[in-house]
Amino acid sequence: MSAVIDTPRPGQDRARFLQTNTATREPWLVRLVLLVLGVGFFAIFLLLPLITVFVEALRKGLDTYGWAIHDSDVLSSIGLTFLTVLFVVPLNVLFGLAAGWAIAKFEFRGKQILITLIDLPFSVSPVIAGLSYMLVFGARGWLGPWLIDHDLKVMFAVPGIVMATTFVTFPFVARELISLMQSQGREEEEAAVVLGASGLATFVRVTLPNIRWGLIYGVILCNARAMGEFGAVSVVSGHIRGETNTLPLEVEILYNEYNFAGAFAVASFLCVLALVTLLVKWWVERRVHSGDAS
Amino acid sequence: MSLPRSRRVLPGFTPTLLWTLIWLTAVVLLPLSAVFLKASSLNAAAFADAAFSPRVLASYRLSFGASLIAASINTVFGVILAWNLVRYDFPGKRAVDALVDLPFALPTAVAGIALSALYSPNGWIGGLLAPFGIKVAFTPLGVLVALIFIGLPFVVRTVQPILEDFDTEYEEAAASLGAGRLATARHVILPALMPAVATGFAMAFARAVGEYGSVIFIAGNIPKVSEITPLLIITKLEQYDYAGATAIAAVMLVVSFILLLIINLLQARVAARGSRHA
Amino acid sequence: MSIRISSIHKQFGTFTALDSVTLDFPRGELVALLGPSGCGKTTLLRIIAGLETADSGEVFLDGREASNSSVRERQVGFVFQHYALFRHMTVFENVAFGLRMKPRAERPSDSDIRRRVHELLDLVQLDWLAERYPAQLSGGQRQRIALARALAVEPQVLLLDEPFGALDAKVRKELRRWLRRLHDDLHISSIFVTHDQEEALEVADRIVVMNHGKVEQQGTPEEVYSHPASPFVYHFLGSVNFFHGRVEGNALQVGDTDLGPNDSEELNAGDHFVACSRPHELELVPADSASAGLLVKVSRLFRFGALARLELDGQGEQAGQIYEAEVPLTSVDALALQEGSLVRIRAGALRVFPAAAPDEVLATNPVAPVSVAPGPGLASAVNA
């Protein structure tokens, strides 16, 4: 708990307070210029592209949506995207819980290196992630011949898409849980054990309730990235229409076919999902940061 | 990594650590090591040919150059925006605060087509710039615009919490010692923010260097002019030139590792700074 | 439950937390483990609880070897330094947790749990908070709930880690009286860790003073305070003046001043010593007095009712040393002392310990209660 912040997050009150305090107040002209620069930059680089998507999608009227939701390729790409998420998110949750427990509740050497390695996928280009899977599972990769012999298809198929997406979303749940569980320490778990709780009971009744908002937060971020991943999936998918095209890949194909209305219709659907993600994230964030237990 | 020497009070250390290590190795370390193994199977000449040909060098220049400029622009405006969000009250502030994360949540392909529509000669901004002879879409400028889009939240989100935790007492002390606002900003606030700003810059830069989806739609992808390195890797792959793709990837991975190292060091400094203020 | 600790050793890397510690905790007593931070007291408490495993040595609970039994089997109640209340559970659920975790065969019925929890909450006088969450409680309330939670499983021994450390001074004082009364009512063997000498003296039946992983002394508060076994214990429990010197003939010589005859059997002529005297044990004699005494200058003088407290600066060889004396106001007035006056001090009571050789000198920090490395010359550690 930080004793420094006098008001919790959104900070409206704090901002107001700071502007009445002569020591922390700027002249109104300075304030205006900074606001115009900051918010203006935000409007041009973030807000306008968002608005563009909806304007372009509605340019031809609502009919485009009618077409898009009846198009079998679009439908199958929606299905594939959700299928991918269905695999990737639970895998990341499982990993995040294991990593959080091992790293936050125990002391061992090499911990800091382990944390750094978990963060590694954040700084690797998704394209390189896709390439590295090709080198392992592709027809000419390490496991290629063996996979062909056993008639298993990984690249240019759903398993490859799931794996590449797992790579790019790898740190999302884990880093959220590791830092949260580290900040919570292990006293509560020790107290539970002293009071006679088994390991499983301790985890389910003490640890899990304490990290649930952090877990949900990580899942939201992971989910958004998993649905939107483009570079890595682009390499391993093979772009087979109706089979291995996720929603973002479908956007690319429609766009490259000059079906702009269709591309923007699908894009606007993804935009709505992104906005819902931000809304839920904003709401969960307030719960995580307020430390509200009830 | 040393295993427990004595009985531990909480159970589950060995299985969870094992699972963490196995999963990390299988998903991240093994595939990445495949890149280096493959690259090391090339002889030096072939490697240099693939990784340092004029077309590839031009793509490095573009990718790293545009990323550097984008991260710098984002650093300036990201700090201002974070300052706005923490220090000022303005209508729609909550919406702005929530939407800053849009690039995290929005699929990059969607961002890509939106930006190229916006900056094409008949788009809203492209149309405004066209009379001045400024072309953005299908030029290196377009690459820059896309990289600014995806990098902005990194700076805002690393600086904002530090600014929120920044105790007013420091500024009050500065004011009581006769410093004006500008002097206070320069000598008191900015130095305290520096590690966070540097971290945000490094993260935005790292992300931009590897970015693919949002760039390819607006870049035009003209070899030696507006072709980024990740795209070049994909192009080589599509021509079944695995060796060439891998050589370029190995170079980029080394840069990524160095960036990761720098980010980690910076973050350690942010953490140290934070505890000093607490 | 009686507890016996037998030559326990615990090492963290290169740091020795406990160095072959052997202790007995008789049944029903309230014992304080007292020492500066890093002295190993918390580690010892956690080893007794089974939260930490010793590298070597044994723990006997009621005469039975317990080193290999798990925390869950030991039937200890543990109150954590920061209470470790489950933040997502109400106060009621926190206290009920231990009962709900019992094996099915021993688990009380829901109504029994309810009754038992309310009894405990009554005992700690906080029944009205049953539905609150820990975040909604004050520090003192959390402390008492943590105690109720530990008591719920009817432990054989109660272990408390710095139970009052995180509370402000007023609440702390209140709670320690309350803990003392609770212990008198329940008569459960209890051990608490503290670095606050006043707390240990006021609350405990017995005090174990620890330093650098070793037991320096144990005994009743009266014994430990009045008859400290080492300069460290002197220093740690209350204010003390240190006089470093050498035995010459049969006299305790500090510089060129004779502090009195050597009546210690441990010290022979030529040995270095450190002599300890509490501020109220010092006497003031006129500076020009023929009788021996250490010459000092009054640097500050405070009057407290019938008492005066003086800060005194060493002179000559002892320059730079500060002493503290607490004397009846009458003796200050009799000597007409004021700030700047010269006066001699004599120790009415003096305990002498052998000290290290002069070249192992360490300047003692006059404020923080740190371990004392006795050396020659005069130093004073005043622990107000």
Side-chain angles (χ1 to χ4, degrees), chain A residues 144-228:
Chain A
W146 185 86
L147 290 170
I148 292 168
D149 285 349
H150 292 76
D151 208 21
L152 294 169
K153 226 172 146 32
V154 176
M155 284 300 106
F156 309 138
V158 178
I161 295 173
V162 170
M163 284 194 234
T165 310
T166 306
F167 181 102
V168 294
T169 55
F170 192 80
F172 281 100
V173 180
R175 79 165 1 199
E176 192 64 37
L177 289 186
I178 290 169
S179 66
L180 181 64
M181 285 163 94
Q182 276 184 326
S183 75
Q184 288 179 345
R186 57 178 169 234
E187 262 201 355
E188 285 185 46
E189 281 80 8
E190 284 179 350
V193 173
V194 173
L195 291 167
S198 67
L200 190 67
T202 304
F203 180 76
V204 173
R205 303 187 66 144
V206 176
T207 310
L208 216 48
N210 275 343
I211 59 171
R212 66 189 192 281
W213 289 113
L215 183 60
I216 293 171
Y217 187 76
V219 165
I220 292 167
L221 294 179
C222 170
N223 177 62
R225 184 70 198 265
M227 285 202 300

Side-chain angles (χ1 to χ4, degrees), chain A residues 184 186-199 201-202 205-207 209-210 212 291 293-294, chain C residues 46 51 71-72 76-78 80-89 94 97-98 100-101 133 149-150 153:
Chain A
Q184 288 179 345
R186 57 178 169 234
E187 262 201 355
E188 285 185 46
E189 281 80 8
E190 284 179 350
V193 173
V194 173
L195 291 167
S198 67
T202 304
R205 303 187 66 144
V206 176
T207 310
N210 275 343
R212 66 189 192 281
S294 47
Chain C
R46 288 172 64 88
L51 286 168
V71 199
R72 295 172 66 195
V76 297
F78 199 100
F80 289 82
Q81 187 173 3
H82 303 289
Y83 321 128
L85 293 177
F86 305 128
R87 65 196 92 183
H88 63 284
M89 293 183 199
N94 261 286
F97 187 86
R100 294 200 199 285
M101 287 299 119
Y133 285 90
R149 184 178 70 176
V153 289

Side-chain angles (χ1 to χ4, degrees), chain A residues 103 108 110-118, chain B residues 17 20-21 24:
Chain A
I103 290 173
F108 54 93
K111 186 190 269 194
Q112 207 46 50
I113 297 170
L114 185 58
I115 294 174
T116 306
L117 286 176
I118 289 173
Chain B
L17 184 65
T20 304
L21 292 176
L24 175 71

Side-chain angles (χ1 to χ4, degrees), chain B residues 234-256:
Chain B
I234 289 208
T235 311
K236 299 242 175 201
L237 271 179
E238 280 169 356
Q239 297 160 352
Y240 299 104
D241 180 6
Y242 280 41
T246 309
I248 302 172
V251 172
M252 290 204 76
L253 267 182
V254 169
V255 175
S256 300

Side-chain angles (χ1 to χ4, degrees), chain C residues 7 58 76 83 88-89 122 150 178 236 254 260 273 294 315 336:
Chain C
S7 39
E58 286 101 40
V76 297
Y83 321 128
H88 63 284
M89 293 183 199
D122 273 337
W178 176 81
F236 202 73
V254 174
F273 68 86
L294 199 64
Q315 300 294 303

Side-chain angles (χ1 to χ4, degrees), chain A residues 15-268:
Chain A
R16 204 161 284 161
F17 159 75
L18 290 168
Q19 285 313 311
T20 55
N21 182 335
T22 48
T24 54
R25 182 174 62 192
E26 288 90 34
W28 70 268
L29 193 62
V30 174
R31 226 181 311 167
L32 186 72
V33 169
L34 286 177
L35 269 175
V36 167
L37 283 176
V39 178
F41 189 81
F42 162 84
I44 291 172
F45 281 93
L46 296 193
L47 200 56
L48 265 184
L50 180 68
I51 295 168
T52 305
V53 174
F54 290 104
V55 171
E56 291 287 335
L58 290 169
R59 181 159 286 185
K60 296 248 170 76
L62 285 168
D63 293 350
T64 334
Y65 284 95
W67 164 83
I69 54 173
H70 289 297
D71 185 85
S72 67
D73 288 347
V74 173
L75 287 180
S76 84
S77 69
I78 293 177
L80 178 60
T81 296
F82 282 103
L83 183 70
T84 306
V85 167
L86 218 58
F87 277 106
V88 169
V89 170
L91 282 173
N92 274 317
V93 167
L94 213 62
F95 169 71
L97 289 173
W101 184 263
I103 290 173
K105 304 295 177 192
F106 300 93
E107 296 306 323
F108 54 93
R109 261 187 301 163
K111 186 190 269 194
Q112 207 46 50
I113 297 170
L114 185 58
I115 294 174
T116 306
L117 286 176
I118 289 173
D119 269 352
L120 185 59
F122 271 155
S123 46
V124 170
S125 172
V127 170
I128 293 176
L131 165 72
S132 64
Y133 277 86
M134 286 290 276
L135 294 177
V136 177
F137 297 102
R140 287 189 283 171
W142 288 351
L143 299 177
W146 185 86
L147 290 170
I148 292 168
D149 285 349
H150 292 76
D151 208 21
L152 294 169
K153 226 172 146 32
V154 176
M155 284 300 106
F156 309 138
V158 178
I161 295 173
V162 170
M163 284 194 234
T165 310
T166 306
F167 181 102
V168 294
T169 55
F170 192 80
F172 281 100
V173 180
R175 79 165 1 199
E176 192 64 37
L177 289 186
I178 290 169
S179 66
L180 181 64
M181 285 163 94
Q182 276 184 326
S183 75
Q184 288 179 345
R186 57 178 169 234
E187 262 201 355
E188 285 185 46
E189 281 80 8
E190 284 179 350
V193 173
V194 173
L195 291 167
S198 67
L200 190 67
T202 304
F203 180 76
V204 173
R205 303 187 66 144
V206 176
T207 310
L208 216 48
N210 275 343
I211 59 171
R212 66 189 192 281
W213 289 113
L215 183 60
I216 293 171
Y217 187 76
V219 165
I220 292 167
L221 294 179
C222 170
N223 177 62
R225 184 70 198 265
M227 285 202 300
E229 179 48 31
F230 183 75
V233 173
S234 180
V235 175
V236 299
S237 106
H239 304 271
I240 308 163
R241 291 201 90 164
E243 277 182 40
T244 62
N245 260 355
T246 60
L247 270 178
L249 294 183
E250 189 66 25
V251 171
E252 182 196 22
I253 289 186
L254 291 170
Y255 190 82
N256 287 345
E257 286 172 345
Y258 301 104
N259 183 353
F260 292 140
F264 278 104
V266 177
S268 67

